[in-house]
Amino acid sequence: MLRDRALSALVFVPFIVLALWLGEPWVSLLVGAVALGGVWELYGIARQAHHRPLVPLGLLLTALFILNPHSPDPRTSPLLLTLAVALPFLWLLFRRKMEGAFADGLWTLAGALYLGWMLGNFISLRTLEHGREWAVLAVFGTFAVDTSAYFVGRALGRHALVPILSPGKTWEGAVGGLAGGMAATFALSALLRLPLGWLETAALGLLLAVFAQLGDLVESLLKRSTGVKDAGNLIPGHGGLLDRLDSLIFGGAVVYYYVIWVVK
């Protein structure tokens, strides 16, 4: 498992670094590809749980959310959110079989919001001043949280964190992830020369470490509630895209909103 994780990192991390360095359109292409792949996996999980999400519509809405940060009109976001809520249910009015229709609409909406809207924050983050540096901090700070929690949990884990969701996660691992995430945030902030004081850096590191781990638990909730072990098998040592994206989905959003609300 550890070897597979290391090999996967060697393959995928250079693509991430290159896209973040080059900026657009490469960031949007990368984020769009992983968002569409992730929502495809999510709808696959839904189908295994005997739901019937509207896959073409969900993929379309996800793509629109990824494109949304490039819109010059601020009215686009509320319009797109409204369409994302309304269209799945309007579509389902014309389905012949009504059993489970509302749940299918919710799955469709959830996939587009969870992958499209949330990962779109990375694109918005990259467009800010110092956007390259902020995006690097978000990605590699999140990786540091995951890695620290994994190794500390394996070495010292004794007390289950949320056993009903993920029996393998422990309080010791969570504390390790918190420490690793904060240390990485301080190191990356200094290395990248970001405009953060020590108190702002500490707050960002704390938020990133907490929400990255909450994102991991949210994906565990998704799999546990549907009886699925892994979202897929695309990435050796990790499972599917969702298994790798879970922390980044929340981590990227936290960094983006912290920057626009606190730093700027």
Side-chain angles (χ1 to χ4, degrees):
M1 178 71 74
L2 185 58
R3 183 194 64 183
D4 290 342
R5 284 173 174 254
L7 290 175
S8 297
L10 287 174
V11 171
F12 289 103
V13 168
F15 288 102
I16 296 172
V17 172
L18 184 62
L20 294 179
W21 181 264
L22 294 176
E24 294 299 334
W26 306 107
V27 173
S28 292
L29 289 172
L30 177 63
V31 174
V34 298
L36 291 170
V39 82
W40 180 267
E41 286 184 352
L42 188 144
Y43 291 154
I45 292 173
R47 288 193 293 268
Q48 290 183 59
H50 309 293
H51 297 288
R52 296 187 297 161
L54 304 169
V55 176
L57 179 59
L59 291 171
L60 174 61
L61 290 171
T62 301
L64 291 175
F65 277 124
I66 295 301
L67 293 173
N68 181 56
H70 298 294
S71 173
D73 191 337
R75 297 173 296 181
T76 303
S77 291
L79 172 62
L80 184 53
L81 285 169
T82 302
L83 289 174
V85 173
L87 286 179
F89 300 106
L90 293 175
W91 186 318
L92 288 165
L93 290 176
F94 300 96
R95 179 185 281 183
R96 292 183 179 180
K97 184 179 179 181
M98 289 292 110
E99 182 181 357
F102 192 77
D104 296 340
L106 289 176
W107 273 100
T108 306
L109 171 62
L113 292 177
Y114 184 52
L115 277 306
W117 174 266
M118 292 292 282
L119 287 177
N121 288 310
F122 269 106
I123 299 172
S124 299
L125 180 65
R126 183 59 178 82
T127 64
L128 299 176
E129 185 179 2
H130 306 296
R132 176 189 299 157
E133 290 79 10
W134 289 121
V136 168
L137 185 148
V139 171
F140 290 95
T142 301
F143 285 170
V145 174
D146 285 346
T147 303
S148 301
Y150 176 77
F151 282 109
V152 173
R154 288 194 63 180
L156 303 175
R158 299 293 184 272
H159 303 88
L161 181 62
V162 190
I164 194 172
L165 288 181
S166 184
K169 291 182 174 60
T170 63
W171 280 104
E172 292 83 358
V175 172
L178 185 67
M182 292 190 69
T185 302
F186 271 100
L188 288 166
S189 177
L191 181 65
L192 300 170
R193 299 182 179 181
L194 287 167
L196 290 172
W198 72 267
L199 189 58
E200 290 176 323
T201 306
L204 178 58
L206 177 63
L207 289 170
L208 178 60
V210 169
F211 278 90
Q213 295 188 75
L214 289 175
D216 195 350
L217 289 174
V218 167
E219 205 241 347
S220 295
L221 172 64
L222 168 66
K223 293 187 292 187
R224 179 70 65 175
S225 63
T226 53
V228 173
K229 183 180 184 298
D230 290 319
N233 55 11
L234 178 65
I235 306 175
H238 292 285
L241 276 171
L242 284 176
D243 299 306
R244 180 67 272 182
L245 292 173
D246 48 13
S247 301
L248 286 168
I249 290 170
F250 280 59
V254 163
V255 174
Y256 173 63
Y257 289 107
Y258 190 86
V259 172
I260 64 173
W261 288 346
V262 177
V263 179
K264 294 184 72 68

